[in-house]
Amino acid sequence: MSEITEPAARRLLVDYTRDMALSDEDPARIVGRTLTDDAVWVTDGTELTCAQLIAHAAPARKNVTATHMRIDDLLVDGRRFAARCRLSAEHRKLGPLVSEWLLIGEVADDGRVRRIHQLGRTPAAAPGTRESAQGTRASAPGTRESARGTAE
């Protein structure tokens, strides 16, 4: 099962995050290929519907210029996965933003994600940096108000 789970988790963290913020593709198609129709996504205690995830793409796309997703840890056990990652993004108005996430998820037989529980935090920036002056703003799961790019 890990031959399905690990690629699905990486697609969620890297491709989904990037595409929802930067792609010209219909957000409903991105959600449809990444998540099951009955997917449950809970971020910081708030359950989000597929419609809310799709709606989040418009403000993200308006404000995004670049992202880099770094996956620090990815653990797989059958259909379940856990990940610790960091999204660095460039926001058109706010400049650089950083968010760290812990995610626990489950993948369906078809390789799409069925369940996500996500906790996010904004790490403290070094004093005097633009990041610490601007702060970061979390918006919805899988993205921030910015994203583009690359992943590890």
Side-chain angles (χ1 to χ4, degrees), residues 25-67:
E25 186 177 3
D26 178 359
R29 291 193 65 194
I30 298 168
V31 168
R33 79 165 164 259
T34 307
L35 305 171
T36 62
D37 296 338
D38 62 345
V40 174
W41 190 314
V42 179
T43 187
D44 295 327
T46 301
E47 187 170 331
L48 297 157
T49 65
C50 286
Q52 289 171 306
L53 296 169
I54 292 165
H56 178 69
R61 289 176 178 185
K62 178 181 174 185
N63 293 308
V64 149
T65 60
T67 66

Side-chain angles (χ1 to χ4, degrees), residues 1-13 74-83 104-116:
M1 196 56 61
S2 63
E3 65 275 358
I4 293 173
T5 306
E6 183 175 348
R10 289 186 183 280
R11 272 193 310 274
L12 172 80
L13 294 169
L74 179 58
L75 307 172
V76 174
D77 180 28
R79 292 184 189 176
R80 299 175 305 164
F81 68 90
I104 298 170
E106 181 182 351
V107 175
D109 289 337
D110 66 1
R112 295 183 297 160
V113 176
R114 169 180 295 149
R115 181 179 53 86
I116 289 288

Side-chain angles (χ1 to χ4, degrees), residues 68-129:
H68 175 77
M69 176 64 78
R70 184 179 81 202
I71 301 172
D72 294 312
D73 293 301
L74 179 58
L75 307 172
V76 174
D77 180 28
R79 292 184 189 176
R80 299 175 305 164
F81 68 90
R84 184 174 62 89
C85 54
R86 178 184 182 106
L87 176 66
S88 301
E90 190 67 32
H91 188 281
R92 290 186 200 284
K93 296 176 184 172
L94 301 176
L97 304 174
V98 175
S99 181
E100 294 178 346
W101 296 331
L102 296 174
L103 296 101
I104 298 170
E106 181 182 351
V107 175
D109 289 337
D110 66 1
R112 295 183 297 160
V113 176
R114 169 180 295 149
R115 181 179 53 86
I116 289 288
H117 289 270
Q118 174 184 350
L119 296 173
R121 77 176 202 102
T122 303
T129 65

